[in-house]
Amino acid sequence: MTSSAPTVSDLHEVYSLNVEAQSQRYGRLVSAFTAAYGAKPDFIARAPGRVNIIGEHIDYCGFPVFPMAIAPDTLVAARANGTERVRIANVEAQRYPAREFSATGDIFDIDSTSHEWSNYFKCGYRGLFDHLGRRDGRGFDALLDGTVPAGGGLSSSAAFVCATELAVQRINGIDLTQNELASIAAGAERHVGVNSGGMDQTASIMGQQGSALFIEFHPRLQATPVKLPNSTPHLVFVIANTLVVSDKHVTAPVCYNLRVVETRVGALVLARHLGVAGRPACKNVDPLTFKIVMDEFYAEQNTAGRDNVDVWIERLEAMLEASHAAFGSLAEGYTREQMAGALGISCSELSAKVHEAQFPVRAERFQLLKRAQHVFSEALRVVRFRQICERENGDDADGKSSNNSSVGAALGDLMNQSQDSCRDQFECSCKELDEVCAIARRAGSLGSRLTGAGWGGCSVHLVAQDRVSAVKEALVQEYYLKQYPQLSADKLDDALFATAPGRGACYFYEK
């Protein structure tokens, strides 16, 4: 999208549910800002979390994903202060102490080994100015309020970085496009040692009410809104947070970053197996991804007159077979020496090629076959999910609701297959996520899967509207009351809720 982040003055343009409660929240933020800094904020920058409906751990492999923006978000109330100091505070002051930095100095210094909340603010700030090739920021005061649960798989860090980025650009008189903002934010999180693929930031910046986003990353970033089928009863999504916290910053060497490295090495090995490693498109690119390898292998294929979805399916199925041939002889996993040998390089050269100094990993064996099988099969599921949605919303649908239960069942089956693959092939689930998915399915969920990085956090469930209460009640009785009997009603509401596709990042000004 080439447009700028929009500006609104009516919260009904931002939230479809609980608008009055959100209005009170904004009012409290303005009052707290005024008390802290002696004047009202100039504006509030807002960026939402996201839930990925399907397409897990494939964005950084270059393949499309299918997320939607949600109501939980990060707000940054901001006001220029006429100095060269940047002062930031959080409404949860005891948990997140106030900090102060030089707008042209130490705000650019980010220690990725320190688990410090202000590092994410610095990421948004530095990312913007690195993109512009400048370090001449203006001073301002900021107060943050976030409702996206940290470590829950709903992209709290992306919401934080994106909201900061919006605030910083407005204070400094900058006006970048949504595409630019999403790309900058994705790169910025690398300053805290998290190797982000870009899905989270794109969904947060570009989300649209009523539509999910089919996000493509290669050969260029492109977000296509896709409406969900208009069925009777309506299909909605229930989000259930397991409350098992997965902190990417802490667990990255054995979880998130390890999976990135396994897929990066897998792409390098697959390129050699398919005979395309020496071509410029593969040789001169960093990082090399499975999507680039696939595209280069089919670079000379004539697809004129063919359906795009059919081409996707044909290629992805062929890549599933190719990955078996490339990695199947070491199905138990590769040692570092075996990976280096497969590439004809030394272990130290391999470490440098995957940037291990910046993104350290720990493993005795690297599961290249399992990871490749998940990536290609998950990409297939994303393409088929979009195909079903667009077929139901096609010209012949005339905007009418469908009462064909097979539509929801087909979408749900893809989500269930995704969860199986995340658990068995990518090994990013956990027993609590498996349990929550099983409970929801027994209660009537059409499809249940983890969402986000996994290893805890949230799950997403496709549910017919007339079954939402039953699914939520089952989760309360069979999971939350057993695992967290002291959980307050407010905390339960934050952990378990129904949602629909929401608006992306924006600026709010009071009328």
Side-chain angles (χ1 to χ4, degrees):
M1 296 182 183
T2 58
S3 58
S4 304
T7 297
V8 303
S9 58
D10 184 350
L11 291 180
H12 286 89
E13 298 180 52
V14 180
Y15 305 99
S16 56
L17 300 172
N18 304 317
V19 178
E20 180 57 33
Q22 292 290 353
S23 179
Q24 294 173 9
R25 174 184 170 223
Y26 277 61
R28 290 192 299 271
L29 181 63
V30 170
S31 296
F33 184 99
T34 305
Y37 299 117
K40 287 187 175 182
D42 292 334
F43 61 87
I44 295 174
R46 180 256 179 189
R50 66 94 189 98
V51 61
N52 191 24
I53 299 172
I54 195 165
E56 220 59 70
H57 284 282
I58 63 174
D59 55 336
Y60 54 78
C61 298
F63 286 111
V65 291
F66 206 79
M68 67 183 192
I70 56 177
D73 54 20
T74 294
L75 306 179
V76 180
R79 181 183 180 87
N81 61 26
T83 75
E84 70 88 39
R85 306 298 293 175
V86 176
R87 300 188 295 178
I88 64 173
N90 195 296
V91 294
E92 293 189 54
Q94 290 187 334
R95 186 176 181 186
Y96 305 113
R99 302 292 188 222
E100 183 173 334
F101 307 100
S102 165
T104 59
D106 60 346
I107 198 165
F108 292 96
D109 300 330
I110 304 172
D111 181 2
S112 64
T113 65
S114 174
H115 193 43
E116 158 63 35
W117 80 276
S118 63
N119 278 349
Y120 289 95
F121 187 93
K122 288 181 173 183
C123 281
Y125 191 101
R126 178 174 171 176
L128 193 71
F129 282 102
D130 281 355
H131 173 77
L132 298 171
R134 296 161 41 188
R135 293 210 167 183
D136 57 350
R138 300 173 184 171
F140 67 100
D141 300 325
L143 180 63
L144 286 78
D145 178 23
T147 57
V148 188
L154 300 180
S155 299
S156 59
S157 61
F160 191 161
V161 172
C162 290
T164 300
E165 187 180 52
L166 260 66
V168 173
Q169 79 154 359
R170 181 60 57 95
I171 288 290
N172 287 275
I174 302 163
D175 188 22
L176 299 177
T177 67
Q178 290 175 301
N179 269 28
E180 290 173 310
L181 291 169
S183 178
I184 293 167
E189 280 202 56
R190 292 164 193 159
H191 291 303
V192 290
V194 175
N195 210 345
S196 175
M199 169 185 67
D200 303 345
Q201 298 79 10
T202 304
S204 183
I205 294 288
M206 300 185 189
Q208 293 190 19
Q209 280 188 314
S211 295
L213 293 177
F214 181 82
I215 301 177
E216 299 171 81
F217 303 95
H218 182 80
R220 66 186 185 281
L221 179 66
Q222 180 175 328
T224 304
V226 178
K227 288 189 175 296
L228 298 171
N230 187 22
S231 63
T232 302
H234 291 304
L235 296 174
V236 299
F237 293 94
V238 171
I239 310 300
N241 190 343
T242 63
L243 302 178
V244 175
V245 176
S246 174
D247 189 332
K248 286 192 290 186
H249 178 88
V250 175
T251 64
V254 294
C255 294
Y256 189 89
N257 283 355
L258 177 58
R259 297 301 184 273
V260 175
V261 166
E262 287 173 320
T263 60
R264 293 282 191 263
V265 176
L268 291 166
V269 174
L270 184 62
R272 285 174 65 93
H273 173 77
L274 294 175
V276 298
R279 296 184 188 178
C282 293
K283 184 178 182 180
N284 302 324
V285 63
D286 182 20
L288 182 65
T289 66
F290 280 128
K291 175 63 161 54
I292 295 173
V293 173
M294 185 181 80
D295 286 351
E296 188 59 25
F297 183 71
Y298 287 104
E300 298 179 4
Q301 183 185 37
N302 183 4
T303 60
R306 295 189 58 191
D307 180 77
N308 186 50
V309 172
D310 290 341
V311 172
W312 267 106
I313 292 173
E314 175 190 280
R315 292 181 177 184
L316 288 166
E317 288 180 340
M319 288 299 104
L320 278 167
E321 293 183 10
S323 64
H324 265 298
F327 311 120
S329 63
L330 289 172
E332 74 281 2
Y334 286 64
T335 64
R336 286 179 180 270
E337 291 75 16
Q338 287 170 327
M339 291 192 300
L343 296 172
I345 59 178
S346 68
C347 288
S348 60
E349 288 173 320
L350 174 65
S351 181
K353 188 174 280 289
V354 297
H355 306 288
E356 194 173 352
Q358 186 177 5
F359 307 111
V361 299
R362 298 194 304 273
E364 292 185 3
R365 289 191 176 271
F366 296 75
Q367 302 296 331
L368 305 191
L369 175 60
K370 283 186 173 183
R371 310 315 180 221
Q373 289 289 290
H374 169 78
V375 169
F376 289 122
S377 65
E378 186 77 345
L380 261 173
R381 287 184 282 273
V382 171
V383 171
R384 285 172 170 151
F385 201 100
R386 176 183 177 177
Q387 181 184 45
I388 293 169
C389 291
E390 291 186 330
R391 184 178 62 217
E392 290 301 310
N393 293 324
D395 294 337
D396 57 341
D398 296 326
K400 297 179 181 178
S401 296
S402 168
N403 59 6
N404 188 350
S405 61
S406 64
V407 175
L411 296 175
D413 284 346
L414 291 171
M415 293 176 66
N416 289 332
Q417 292 169 24
S418 174
Q419 172 61 20
D420 291 345
S421 183
C422 285
R423 182 191 64 226
D424 301 332
Q425 300 293 342
F426 220 72
E427 297 176 292
C428 60
S429 190
C430 65
K431 63 182 180 64
E432 292 86 357
L433 281 166
D434 296 340
E435 181 181 0
V436 163
C437 288
I439 292 169
R441 289 170 188 164
R442 288 197 300 268
S445 170
L446 298 167
S448 297
R449 59 180 296 277
L450 66 84
T451 186
W455 298 288
C458 284
S459 56
V460 58
H461 311 268
L462 181 64
V463 183
Q465 195 167 41
D466 60 356
R467 296 296 301 170
V468 168
S469 295
V471 170
K472 290 177 66 177
E473 181 62 19
L475 289 168
V476 169
Q477 296 297 327
E478 298 180 44
Y479 182 76
Y480 291 104
L481 290 182
K482 291 182 178 180
Q483 297 287 341
Y484 305 98
Q486 305 304 317
L487 196 66
S488 68
D490 287 344
K491 293 293 185 182
L492 180 58
D493 287 342
D494 290 341
L496 180 64
F497 59 93
T499 189
R503 182 165 200 157
C506 62
Y507 295 101
F508 175 76
Y509 285 83
E510 287 187 291
K511 292 181 180 178

